[in-house]
Amino acid sequence: MTTTNSVQFPGEAGTSVPQQPARLAESTAPVRRQSTLRKLKEAAKSLLPTPVFLSLLHHKEIGRYPNLLRPTTFNEKILQKSLRPDPWFAELTDKLTVREYVARKLGEEHVIPLLAAPEIFTREVFDALPNSFVMKANHGSTYVEVVRDKSTRSFEQLSQLANHWLTLDFYKIAREKHYREIKPRIFFERLLLDNNGQIPADYKLHCFGGRSGKPLIYILVISDRFGADTRGDIYDADWNHLDMAIGAYKPSPKPAPRPENLDAILAAATTLCGDFDYVRVDLYAPDNQIYFGELTFTPGAGVLPFTPDRIDYEWGRLVPDAFLSTRPPLPMHSVSAA
């Protein structure tokens, strides 16, 4: 997946201007003007106060302006969390530092083996990696590069991509405040494959009311994430396929069979969401094993379209209003305790 240096609203494509021969200079003039206009547009966005920026972004993606003072929808309350994140959000959103929390809460065996997390990605680091691996950045979404066969990739290619990721300020995309506290790092994990040699489906479990010990859980299953036929299906905790969609994901023509280890998947999510009123817990479950993916407190940055739209209101009733909450901050060492 490709990212750009420009600050973009979600769903807005970036504009790249490749080098052109001199004889094509005249034909590329409109492209250059477009690039200049985009840079001006992005600069103007960066000057907007955060509430104004988020209101415009919400209107663009959802079709209405949000009520940030008295939020009622799921997206409005996620925007509220972006404006006023809990103090532990950054450490548990960081894809490297969260690993310790998960190991303590769930068990080391459920954390994908870490191959390397170098301060600097060098050729020596590349040479020491196995034939297959996944390269990631810890400070944002979509910074994932799957390498099935290292012989088909060069150090220069991956280094260029890694360096590009490190220049990106994920906060600027949708002003999720806790991302500003994450120091960008590149790291490498073992590539998870099932018995058929395929990348397993991504289970994104939206967990409401985790502090009660009996959370309400909805499961978004993303299949063929890195393929040509990516699908997103939503199930309840009893594996009933729900007639709804989140974001741009299209449902599969036929619902997937109930996973053999569904109870274990739900139990893992229940354990990991126990400190929070809402969190999305991402898991992988190949061949009856369970591996942790990430914790997400502000999914879709609060501009996540639902189909039908009423789900935005229904899920909103499940999330407490952060501005009205009186619960004290929970220090990281308390959150991490097993």
Side-chain angles (χ1 to χ4, degrees):
M1 187 171 294
T2 305
T3 54
T4 68
N5 278 317
S6 62
V7 181
Q8 298 177 18
F9 285 169
E12 185 177 34
T15 301
S16 60
V17 186
Q19 295 295 320
Q20 300 286 345
R23 64 179 181 275
L24 297 181
E26 183 177 351
S27 64
T28 59
V31 176
R32 292 197 183 97
R33 284 197 296 270
Q34 182 182 8
S35 178
T36 300
L37 289 172
R38 174 170 291 280
K39 289 179 181 179
L40 292 173
K41 180 181 178 181
E42 302 303 334
K45 286 180 188 177
S46 68
L47 297 176
L48 291 174
T50 294
V52 175
F53 178 94
L54 292 176
S55 293
L56 293 173
L57 178 56
H58 189 275
H59 182 269
K60 178 180 184 295
E61 298 297 327
I62 307 299
R64 57 177 171 269
Y65 291 105
N67 187 334
L68 296 177
L69 295 179
R70 293 183 175 84
T72 58
T73 70
F74 176 78
N75 277 302
E76 287 171 346
K77 291 183 178 181
I78 295 302
L79 285 179
Q80 192 182 65
K81 289 178 180 291
S82 294
L83 289 166
R84 187 189 177 190
D86 286 334
W88 57 86
F89 277 13
E91 193 158 0
L92 296 184
T93 298
D94 185 321
K95 293 176 175 59
L96 277 172
T97 56
V98 72
R99 296 170 63 89
E100 179 184 354
Y101 171 78
V102 175
R104 292 180 180 180
K105 295 283 286 187
L106 198 60
E108 186 73 38
E109 68 274 17
H110 298 293
V111 180
I112 300 174
L114 183 67
L115 302 175
E119 289 290 341
I120 301 175
F121 179 34
T122 64
R123 184 176 295 278
E124 289 72 22
V125 172
F126 175 76
D127 290 342
L129 291 170
N131 185 57
S132 62
F133 55 87
V134 179
M135 182 175 79
K136 297 181 179 180
N138 67 324
H139 67 295
S141 179
T142 76
Y143 304 153
V144 180
E145 184 72 7
V146 174
V147 177
R148 285 179 171 268
D149 182 357
K150 190 169 72 168
S151 68
T152 65
R153 308 299 295 273
S154 69
F155 164 71
E156 288 75 17
Q157 288 173 324
L158 293 182
S159 179
Q160 183 178 20
L161 178 59
N163 289 335
H164 172 63
W165 287 346
L166 293 175
T167 66
L168 300 177
D169 185 347
F170 195 76
Y171 163 77
K172 290 183 178 180
I173 296 175
R175 306 284 179 94
E176 295 166 279
K177 190 175 180 181
H178 48 293
Y179 281 98
R180 301 184 74 174
E181 302 177 36
I182 300 175
K183 178 184 176 181
R185 289 276 299 276
I186 298 297
F187 65 102
F188 301 84
E189 289 181 340
R190 193 185 84 193
L191 174 61
L192 288 183
L193 298 175
D194 61 24
N195 285 337
N196 297 317
Q198 302 300 313
I199 295 175
D202 193 351
Y203 290 79
K204 297 182 179 295
L205 296 97
H206 292 266
C207 303
F208 300 89
R211 289 176 178 272
S212 70
K214 296 182 179 179
L216 179 62
I217 298 178
Y218 294 98
I219 311 166
L220 169 62
V221 181
I222 301 177
S223 55
D224 198 27
R225 178 182 172 191
F226 299 100
D229 190 29
T230 303
R231 300 284 180 161
D233 296 274
I234 299 93
Y235 302 86
D236 64 16
D238 295 318
W239 205 251
N240 295 305
H241 189 263
L242 304 180
D243 186 18
M244 60 175 286
I246 298 177
Y249 292 112
K250 295 182 179 180
S252 303
K254 182 180 179 181
R258 178 189 176 102
E260 294 181 10
N261 59 343
L262 177 61
D263 290 343
I265 293 170
L266 294 170
T270 298
T271 297
L272 290 177
C273 76
D275 290 316
F276 316 109
D277 53 47
Y278 167 80
V279 66
R280 195 192 76 203
V281 178
D282 292 6
L283 301 172
Y284 304 98
D287 307 316
N288 288 325
Q289 302 178 73
I290 295 177
Y291 291 98
F292 169 76
E294 64 180 86
L295 295 180
T296 302
F297 298 96
T298 54
V303 292
L304 190 64
F306 288 89
T307 306
D309 181 61
R310 62 177 171 78
I311 303 297
D312 199 2
Y313 292 88
E314 292 177 6
W315 282 23
R317 289 193 287 270
L318 302 175
V319 181
D321 187 332
F323 289 154
L324 299 180
S325 175
T326 58
R327 62 182 176 83
L330 187 61
M332 182 60 199
H333 70 269
S334 297
V335 177
S336 298

